[in-house]
Amino acid sequence: MSEKIEALRELLKENELDGFIIPHNDEYQEEITAPCAERLKWLTGFTGSAGVAVVLRQKAFLLIDGRYTLQARTEVSKDDFTILDIYQNPLSSIIEKEMKITGRLGYDPFLHTVRQVSDLKKACYNVGCYLVAFRSNPIDIIWKDRPKPPSSPIMLLEDKFSGLSRDEKIKKIAKDLQEHKEDALVIESPSSICWLLNIRGNDIPYTPLAHSYAIVHKSSSVDWFIASERISDEVRKELGDKIRILPPAIFAPELARLAKKRANVRVDAKRSSAWLESTLAKSGGKITPGTDPCVLLKSQKNTTEQEGARKAHIRDGVAVCNFLYWLEREGVSKGINEYEAAAKLESFRRKGEFFHDLSFATISAVGANAAIVHYTPEPGKSARLNPKEVYLVDSGANYLDGTTDITRTVAFDKVPYIVRKRFTQVLKGHIALASCIFPKGTYGYQLDVLARQYLWADGVDYAHSTGHGIGSFLGVHENPPSISYAKDSLPLLPGMILSNEPGYYKEGEFGIRCENVMLVTAAPQNDNAEQEMLAFETLTKVPFARDLIEVGMLSDTEKEWLNRYHQDVYATLAPLLEPAVSSWLKEATLEI
Amino acid sequence: MSEKIEALRELLKENELDGFIIPHNDEYQEEITAPCAERLKWLTGFTGSAGVAVVLRQKAFLLIDGRYTLQARTEVSKDDFTILDIYQNPLSSIIEKEMKITGRLGYDPFLHTVRQVSDLKKACYNVGCYLVAFRSNPIDIIWKDRPKPPSSPIMLLEDKFSGLSRDEKIKKIAKDLQEHKEDALVIESPSSICWLLNIRGNDIPYTPLAHSYAIVHKSSSVDWFIASERISDEVRKELGDKIRILPPAIFAPELARLAKKRANVRVDAKRSSAWLESTLAKSGGKITPGTDPCVLLKSQKNTTEQEGARKAHIRDGVAVCNFLYWLEREGVSKGINEYEAAAKLESFRRKGEFFHDLSFATISAVGANAAIVHYTPEPGKSARLNPKEVYLVDSGANYLDGTTDITRTVAFDKVPYIVRKRFTQVLKGHIALASCIFPKGTYGYQLDVLARQYLWADGVDYAHSTGHGIGSFLGVHENPPSISYAKDSLPLLPGMILSNEPGYYKEGEFGIRCENVMLVTAAPQNDNAEQEMLAFETLTKVPFARDLIEVGMLSDTEKEWLNRYHQDVYATLAPLLEPAVSSWLKEATLEI
C-alpha cells in the first residue's frame, strides 16, 4: 500500500471518517486544474482530465470514463485502487455498495457542486450513512510539497475579439437579475468571469483562465475577488469604477454580509460549490436556484467571435498543413518521435497571428499508442514515427480570436485493410454528422448516432463522446453544447461551436480519430422547408488522409461532401502556403 | 360557454376550488378507457388518446400533443378552451402562469400517478397555491347519463400463447419481492394483471383488458379484486387456490389491513395512483418505491410470444394483401368510402386464425384526411377513395398469439412528384431504422434521428414518435420501449416488439406513413464484432407501394433492403393467397 494512502487513512481514522471523496476537478469546478489542485493525480498517479477516487478504510476506488480505461491501467497501482467505469459504477453506487449504516463519508465542499452533493446525500440516505463536509481537505494536510496557487497577471481581451464590451455584458446579466427579481449573482466559474469581464489569465496550462470569484449586482456593479497585485494599473484603469477589485480573503465575509441583508441571490446548482450554498444559507441568505446566464451567452458565439473562429481555424489549418507536409517529406524519414513531432507542430502554430498557447497537451501517438484516447507523449518514452503504422495527432491552439481542436490520422505507406476500413467507417460517421440538417430545438444526443452508425453496423463503437463545446479563446472543452449518449440541458443553438470527432481504437494495435470543429448555423435556404432548420458549418481546414479511405465504401453523397470540403480547404489555404506545401495540398485534396 | 363547463365551474365554486384537472386516462392509468371514464371527451369533445384539461374559474386549457393539433381544432370549442401543445406548455407551466398564491387546484387522486402528483405539487409550491385531492370527481357528479363501468367475462389465455404459466410468472414476482425484502406488490395496471394471470377481458374497445386490482404476496399468493360474476366456474377452477378472488369493494380495506400490519409494500411511482399511495400511507404502511416487475417481463417477449407474433403478422399480412388487391381491383372503381374500406379490411382480418378483435380503430384516410394523424372515418362523413389522391390505412388486430399494427400509404394512379418525394424520404427513414445495428444498452431515443434524417434534410419533420412498444395479445401501445425524442427509462432489449412509423403530413393536402412492426433481436453473426450488438427483425409482411417510390432517391443499400424485404414478403405470403392475389403480390414485390 502506498504511503500516501496510508497517511490519508490515518487522517480519516483521527477524524472518525470511514471514507473520503477526492474528485479530479478544482474548487472552480474546472477540469483543467492548477498543480496545487491536482489532488487526484498526486494520490493515485492518474493524469486524466476527469475522474474521482473514494478512499475507504479498507478499499479504495478510482472511477473513470471510457477514454481513460487503458491509460489508468498503466498509471494507477491496482494494489491501491480498484479502477471502475464511472458510468457503470457511479459514485452513488459505490456509496450504496460499500458504506455501512451510521458510517461517515467525508467530502470537501469546495470541490463539489450543489447538485453533486444533493446526489451524494441521496445515496448516503439510502444507506443510512452520514455525508460529512470537511473544510480542510485531508490531501492538502498530508501533501507536504504542495505547490502554491497560481497568480498570473491579468490581460484584457479587446472588444475586436470579444465582439461585446464588458459593460454590455454586465448590463445583460444585471437586466436578467432584475427580471428575475434577484439582487445578485455569485460566479465561481473562472470561464464565466473571464467571458463577462473580457479578461484572461494564465493560471492553468492551456486554458487562458484567471482563478477568481465575482458577485454581479442588479445595479450593474461587480465585486471581483482577485489579488490586486495581479492587476496592472492599465488594466485597473480600463476596468473602471463599476468593477470593484477586492481581496479574495473577504469573499466569504462579503457573501455573509450579502446574506445577512436578506438579499435574493441566484445560485446555479450545477455550477456553484456546495460551500457557496452553505455559506449563504448559514447567514440567512435567500437563495434562488437558477442558471449562470454567462454560460448560455458564452456558448452562442456572436458574429465577431464567429468570424474570429473562422480566421483562427484558417491560421491553424496553415500550421497543421505545414506540419503534415514536413512529416511526409522529412519527419518520418528522419525518424522523429511522437514528442518531437508534437514540438514541431507547436513551432508551426507559434508562427500564427494572435497565437497565445496550445489549447491542450498535444496527443501525438504512433500505432498502438493511438488506441489510448488521451495519450500524451513524454520526451524519454516516445515511439518513433514509421511508415508501417498510422499516426494520430489531436491538437489545438488558443488564438486571441478563437480556439481550435483538430485530429488527423495519417499513414506514410500502405496500411492493412482493417485500418482503412475502420478509418472509412469513422470518416463516414464524421460526414453524416457534419452534413446533417436538424430542426431548431434538437439536442446533441439526438444526433450522436449519426457519427456511430457505420461502426455499429460492423459491431464496434468508440467509448467517448462524439462532440464537445469549444470556447472562444477559452476552454477547448466548454459545456454546453455536447453530442453524446447523455441528455444535455440545452438544445443546439446558432453560434454554438463544437467538435465532431468519432474514432475507433484497437487496443495494442492502432487508433483512429477524425475531428473537425463545427459552428451551428442556419440551414441553407430551402423553399420547401416548413420549420426553422439548423446545420453545421465546418471551420477546420485540413485535408483528411485520402490514402486511408476505402473509396468503394463511400456513397456518392459522401464523396461529394469530401470533394467539396477538400476543394474549400485548398482554395482557402493554398494562397497562404509556400509553393511546395501548396502543391502538396493540391495533391492531398484531389477529387476522389 | 357550454353548459357542462358552467356546471363544473358552479361545483368548483361550491367547493372553494379555483380549478380542476381532467386528464384523459382512467383510474388504471390506461390511455384506452371505458366509456364511463371518458371524462375529457365528455367535457371537451376531444376524442384523442392523450391529453389533459385544466378548467379554472375564468379560463380553461386543453393540452394535447402534435398528433392531435388538427383534430382538436375541429372537435373542441375555442370559446371554451385554449388548445395548447403539451410539450411546449406542460401542466406545470399552466399552473405556474395561471394559478395565484393561496389558490386551490383540485385533482382526482385516482387519475394521477404518484410521480405526476409530485410534479404538480412542485409547480403549486413554486406558485404558493394548494393542490387539493378531491375524491369525488366533479365530472362524475355533473355527468348525468354516465355509463356504468364495464364488467366483461374473463377469458383464460392458454400457455401455448403466453409461453409461461401463471404459476411461473407469479413465482418470478414473488422471488423479486423476497430479494428486495418486500412483503407485497400492489398492481393497479390491468395490462400487468392480464399478463401475470394469463387472463384477458373485453372491458374496453380493442385492447383485451379486464379492469381489476391485485396484490401479489411474497408467498406467491395473489389477491385479485374483481367481481365474482365475471369469473366462470371453469376459469375459477383453472386459477386454483393461490389466486383469491375478492370483491373490488374490499380493495381499500385490504390495503389498509396490509398497511396496519406494517407490511413492506412496493409502489411504482410512475404507474401507481396517488390514491394508492395515500391509502397505504394513511394506515401506516411502509412504502418502498420500486418498479412493477411485470412491465419489463411483459415487454421482453419470450420465444413462444415471439413465434406467435411472427405467425400473427403473416396472417395479418394475408388480410392486408387481400384488402389492397381488392381495393385496386374493385374498391376504388366502385367508389367506396373510407369507412367502407375499413370495414372491408376488418372482414379480411376476421377470417384469420386466432383473430380476437381489431387492436385499434382503423385509420382509413383519403387525401387531406390523412394529414390528420389519428383520423377515424365515420359512416356518414367519409370521403370516397379515388385515383387522384393517396390513401393511408393504419390498422391492426389482436390475435390470441400476437398484436399487429401496420400502416400503408398507397396510390391508384400517378400522383404529384412532391407526394412521391415525401413518400421516398419517409421510406428511407423507415429503412435506416429497420436496418440499423446498435450496441446492447442503446436507448430508443438514440435511434430516432435515423428515421427523421431525410425529412430533416429537406426542412420538414413529423410531430409524433417514431415507434412505440406493442403488447402480446395486449395493448397496441405498450411502454417500454419507445423510439422518440424523449429519453426513456429502459434501453432496447432483445424480445421487445415495437413499431417503426415515420410519416409526413401536409395539412389540407395529404398524409404519408410507412409502418412496420419490428422485434429486437441479436444482430446477425459478425466475426469482427467487439461487443454484443442488437438489430431489428421486421415482423410485418406487406409490400410498400412501389409506384410511390422515386427510385433515383434510394441508395443501393436501400434498394437492396427493399428488394430483400419484398422477396421475403412474397415467399412467405404467396402460398397462402388465392392465385389472383398471389400474382398481384408478385408484381407488387418486383425488384426495383
Side-chain angles (χ1 to χ4, degrees), chain A residues 526-531 533, chain B residues 390 409 415-430 451-462 502-507 509-514 545 547-551 553-554:
Chain A
N526 172 357
D527 294 338
N528 295 320
E530 295 174 356
Q531 55 190 106
M533 307 297 290
Chain B
V390 282
T409 310
V415 293
Y417 170 71
I418 182 72
V419 178
R420 296 199 309 278
K421 182 172 100 166
R422 293 293 182 228
F423 181 89
T424 311
Q425 287 166 339
V426 170
L427 183 63
K428 283 165 75 76
H430 178 96
R452 298 183 195 268
Q453 57 185 326
Y454 303 103
L455 292 163
W456 282 6
D458 206 15
V460 300
D461 195 6
Y462 49 92
Y504 172 77
Y505 311 94
K506 184 75 179 170
E507 187 179 349
E509 298 189 17
F510 64 94
I512 285 162
R513 190 155 62 249
C514 290
D547 47 356
L548 280 176
I549 299 171
E550 275 292 305
V551 180
M553 287 171 60
L554 294 186

Side-chain angles (χ1 to χ4, degrees), chain B residues 155-172:
Chain B
M155 60 177 275
L156 297 171
L157 186 68
E158 294 175 63
D159 291 0
K160 73 172 181 184
F161 297 121
S162 71
L164 205 62
S165 71
R166 63 185 63 82
D167 277 3
E168 288 168 295
K169 289 178 175 179
I170 295 168
K171 269 184 199 137
K172 270 178 195 278

Side-chain angles (χ1 to χ4, degrees), chain A residues 245-316:
Chain A
I245 293 160
L246 301 169
I250 71 162
F251 180 48
E254 278 297 306
L255 288 176
R257 203 166 66 92
L258 198 65
K260 275 182 194 133
K261 284 197 298 190
R262 306 278 298 144
N264 206 339
V265 183
R266 186 186 308 181
V267 165
D268 186 333
K270 278 157 76 181
R271 293 176 185 88
S272 302
S273 71
W275 170 82
L276 172 64
E277 192 194 42
S278 69
T279 303
L280 288 166
K282 260 191 322 211
S283 299
K286 283 161 66 186
I287 294 164
T288 323
T291 305
D292 172 355
C294 303
V295 172
L296 178 59
L297 290 165
K298 179 161 57 81
S299 75
Q300 286 193 272
K301 275 68 182 170
N302 60 43
T303 50
T304 306
E305 290 169 322
Q306 291 177 24
E307 203 39 46
R310 285 189 191 97
K311 288 183 185 154
H313 277 87
I314 291 170
R315 249 172 273 134
D316 208 58

